[in-house]
């Protein structure tokens, strides 16, 4: 189920939308609840003719273009748009698939939505179909009519269509939102980097900004829970002995890091914002350990970043940030994600290495500016252990690795498998394979040669 959170609708139903019971939906009739900008009733299933398909597509697009919401099939309304009868509809996986296909064919771009079957305990095979639609950062969504697009939106309990001028303004808003997310991404990344102790450590930093912001209450109870979850814990997917030592709050954010005091973070750090955005950093190279004996200025030593550490840091950052966005802040849909390596300068270059066998360089050159990679992923895909998280990690890691003149991530594949031969047996290999077995991720001994 998509992570649609609506305090108004949840208050109306008395439950989260992804956990509604048949009785809670049926109570709409008892309470004479009316349709609204985020709630639509349909007494029966959408038909199979072209008009009925356009009606379905238009209802979904209108919610995505307004504030998101739910369509309830099997609830009939009266002439005042109040829930008046509960005929229910036939439930089947085939009908769910048909709805998905119609929306995918007729709505452009495709919004984020889901379909849930809510069965009547007294009538197996019948009940309500709930179509949950997220408010979309990609609005306006058009519905294909003949060979053109029409752009619906909710106006109270009814639907209106945007004029040409309104469509143009909606596209301008989309571009402005995209720029605002990019600006937030850079700001949150900059805030965390400013907290890092970079005197002898080089970090991989991952920053995530949901396309649809969420929220959570930041109070004493929230901080205590966060402290229990993070203090003295290794936050990496595959632990390597890097623990959180300091946990606090900042302006509209939770803060955790491996340093002994608030001013400077060492080893690993995260800042998790009330909006669901966040930034995570983990050490990729300890330059003081690599400096030549007797060298006075340790900062002139190149950062020697091992590919396994780079991949693990991104993997961990994606999971932590996505779970914060989804589970703590109730943000949903897609998110813009950026990864970078800091500090990297002409005086402090970075090189990519591997520890397997006798070790050695990967790529053709050092980098002298912070490499960065940006992509867009579904938050649910990142928050759950599985192939989608691995595929996203592979994509973002490849974006960084290519800056060094090497073509791809060795530890993972673009379709979400893990290559076992590229994890060092003494450091990560057995634990990575154990994680893969639990997450039902395919393991392959293929090589890239």
């Amino acid at each position: 189920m998509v992570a649609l959170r609506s305090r108004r609708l949840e208050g109306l139903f008395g439950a989260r939308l992804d956990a509604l019971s048949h009785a809670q939906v049926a109570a709409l009739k008892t309470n004479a609840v009316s349709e609204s900008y985020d709630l639509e009733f349909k007494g029966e299933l959408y038909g199979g003719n072209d008009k009925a398909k356009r009606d379905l597509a238009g209802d979904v697009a209108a919610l995505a273009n307004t504030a998101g919401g739910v369509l309830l099939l099997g609830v009939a309304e009266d002439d005042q748009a109040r829930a008046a009868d509960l005929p229910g509809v036939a439930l089947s996986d085939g009908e769910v698939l048909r709805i998905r296909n119609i929306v995918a064919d007729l709505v452009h771009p495709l919004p984020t939505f889901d379909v849930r079957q809510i069965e009547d305990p007294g009538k197996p095979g019948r009940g309500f179909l709930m179509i949950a639609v997220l408010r979309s950062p990609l609005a306006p969504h058009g519905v294909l009519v003949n060979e053109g697009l029409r752009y619906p939106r909710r106006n109270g309990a009814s639907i209106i269509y945007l004029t040409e001028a309104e469509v143009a303004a909606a596209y301008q808003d989309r571009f402005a939102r995209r720029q605002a997310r990019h600006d937030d991404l850079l700001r949150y990344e900059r805030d965390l980097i400013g907290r890092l102790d970079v005197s002898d450590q080089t970090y991989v930093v991952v920053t995530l900004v949901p396309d649809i912001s969420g929220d959570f209450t930041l109070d004493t109870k929230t901080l205590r829970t966060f402290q229990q979850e993070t203090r003295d814990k290794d936050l990496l997917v595959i632990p390597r002995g890097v623990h959180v030592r300091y946990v606090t709050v900042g302006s509209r954010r939770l803060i955790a890091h491996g340093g002994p005091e608030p001013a400077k973070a060492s080893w690993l750090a995260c800042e998790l914002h009330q909006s669901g955005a966040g930034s995570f950093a983990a050490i990729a190279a300890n330059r003081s350990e690599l400096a030549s004996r007797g060298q006075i200025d340790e900062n002139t030593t190149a950062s020697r970043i091992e590919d396994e550490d780079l991949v693990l840091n991104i993997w961990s950052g994606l999971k932590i940030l996505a779970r914060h966005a989804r589970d703590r802040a109730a943000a949903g849909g897609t998110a813009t994600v950026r990864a970078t390596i800091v500090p990297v300068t002409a005086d402090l270059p970075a090189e990519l290495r591997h520890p397997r066998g006798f070790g050695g360089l990967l790529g053709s050159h050092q980098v002298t500016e912070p490499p960065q990679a940006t992509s867009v992923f579904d938050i649910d895909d990142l928050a759950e252990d599985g192939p989608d998280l691995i595929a996203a990690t592979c994509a973002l890691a490849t974006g960084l690795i290519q800056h060094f003149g090497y073509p791809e991530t060795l530890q993972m594949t673009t379709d979400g498998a893990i290559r076992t031969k590229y994890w060092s047996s003494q450091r990560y290999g057995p634990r990575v394979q154990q994680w893969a077995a639990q997450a039902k991720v395919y393991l392959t001994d293929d090589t890239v040669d």
Side-chain angles (χ1 to χ4, degrees):
M1 194 72 190
V2 297
L4 172 62
R5 297 297 307 274
S6 166
R7 291 180 179 176
R8 195 191 86 80
L9 290 178
E10 289 172 359
L12 191 67
F13 287 110
R16 283 180 56 126
L17 297 179
D18 58 1
L20 284 184
S21 68
H22 186 274
Q24 287 166 327
V25 177
L28 295 172
K29 175 185 175 181
T30 304
N31 299 326
V33 173
S34 297
E35 291 180 327
S36 186
Y37 66 91
D38 57 356
L39 182 62
E40 174 84 4
F41 303 141
K42 298 290 180 184
E44 49 190 35
L45 297 174
Y46 290 92
N49 59 41
D50 289 345
K51 180 183 182 304
K53 292 178 180 179
R54 287 196 299 270
D55 288 344
L56 167 59
D59 288 340
V60 171
L63 287 172
N65 285 338
T66 311
V70 298
L71 301 167
L72 281 171
L73 281 57
V75 178
E77 75 271 21
D78 60 19
D79 55 6
Q80 294 182 328
R82 296 176 302 194
D85 196 12
L86 305 172
V89 295
L91 304 180
S92 70
D93 293 341
E95 179 61 22
V96 171
L97 180 60
R98 189 181 78 93
I99 289 172
R100 292 182 183 279
N101 289 339
I102 291 171
V103 176
D105 288 342
L106 296 183
V107 183
H108 305 278
L110 181 64
T112 301
F113 75 103
D114 206 347
V115 186
R116 181 175 171 226
Q117 303 178 64
I118 305 174
E119 189 172 51
D120 183 343
K123 298 179 181 178
R126 290 192 66 83
F128 306 118
L129 272 180
M130 182 173 72
I131 305 175
V133 185
L134 291 182
R135 178 171 64 90
S136 178
L138 299 178
H141 295 267
V143 176
L144 187 62
V145 179
N146 297 325
E147 295 184 358
L149 292 173
R150 298 190 68 193
Y151 297 86
R153 71 183 307 274
R154 302 283 294 185
N155 181 28
S158 61
I159 290 178
I160 61 174
Y161 287 86
L162 302 182
T163 65
E164 183 178 359
E166 289 171 331
V167 171
Y171 273 104
Q172 290 177 339
D173 288 344
R174 180 200 288 182
F175 300 141
R177 289 192 298 269
R178 181 179 299 171
Q179 183 60 49
R181 291 195 299 275
H182 179 71
D183 293 344
D184 287 344
L185 198 72
L186 297 182
R187 176 162 55 91
Y188 296 146
E189 178 187 274
R190 185 171 59 247
D191 287 350
L192 183 62
I193 290 174
R195 191 179 295 275
L196 298 176
D197 181 357
V198 297
S199 60
D200 63 355
Q201 296 182 359
T202 301
Y203 300 84
V204 171
V205 180
V206 182
T207 306
L208 179 150
V209 176
D211 290 339
I212 300 295
S213 296
D215 195 13
F216 67 95
T217 301
L218 182 50
D219 55 15
T220 302
K221 180 179 179 181
T222 303
L223 175 59
R224 286 176 179 167
T225 300
F226 184 60
Q227 289 172 333
Q228 293 171 355
E229 294 171 347
T230 57
R231 181 171 287 159
D232 298 323
K233 303 289 196 312
D234 187 324
L235 303 184
L236 299 179
V237 174
I238 309 298
R240 66 175 188 229
V242 181
H243 296 93
V244 170
R245 298 178 62 187
Y246 192 87
V247 183
T248 187
V249 298
S251 176
R252 294 183 57 80
R253 72 194 71 180
L254 296 163
I255 298 169
H257 63 72
E261 56 187 44
K264 285 296 180 182
S266 300
W267 303 103
L268 83 169
C270 63
E271 294 192 357
L272 306 176
H273 298 260
Q274 281 187 261
S275 65
S279 197
F280 170 87
I283 185 172
N286 188 332
R287 300 191 304 277
S288 63
E289 294 179 355
L290 301 174
S292 301
R293 180 170 296 181
Q295 183 175 341
I296 297 175
D297 185 1
E298 295 175 349
N299 289 334
T300 61
T301 302
S303 299
R304 299 173 184 173
I305 298 170
E306 294 185 353
D307 60 344
E308 295 175 28
D309 291 333
L310 182 150
V311 170
L312 175 59
N313 290 352
I314 292 176
W315 183 5
S316 303
L318 289 177
K319 180 177 176 179
I320 289 169
L321 298 177
R323 291 200 170 181
H324 163 70
R326 186 192 67 177
D327 299 339
R328 186 178 288 114
T334 57
T336 304
V337 185
R338 170 178 157 111
T340 189
I341 299 173
V342 293
V344 178
T345 66
D347 293 330
L348 180 59
E351 60 189 30
L352 185 66
R353 305 183 67 86
H354 73 87
R356 298 169 294 280
F358 295 102
L361 284 169
L362 287 176
S364 58
H365 55 267
Q366 295 180 334
V367 295
T368 57
E369 295 180 352
Q372 59 86 22
T374 304
S375 192
V376 176
F377 304 108
D378 187 278
I379 291 173
D380 283 337
D381 289 346
L382 303 181
E384 294 296 331
D385 290 341
D388 291 331
L389 173 59
I390 296 301
T393 301
C394 178
L396 208 57
T398 294
L400 290 186
I401 287 170
Q402 288 174 347
H403 283 271
F404 296 89
Y406 198 81
E408 63 180 304
T409 302
L410 294 173
Q411 289 72 28
M412 300 171 172
T413 69
T414 56
D415 58 357
I418 289 178
R419 294 191 183 107
T420 58
K421 290 187 179 297
Y422 296 102
W423 292 97
S424 302
S425 59
Q426 293 184 342
R427 295 191 68 198
Y428 300 128
R431 290 180 293 165
V432 168
Q433 293 183 40
Q434 182 181 19
W435 179 93
Q438 295 173 346
K440 298 181 180 179
V441 169
Y442 180 70
L443 294 169
T444 176
D445 58 4
D446 290 348
T447 65
V448 300
D449 298 330

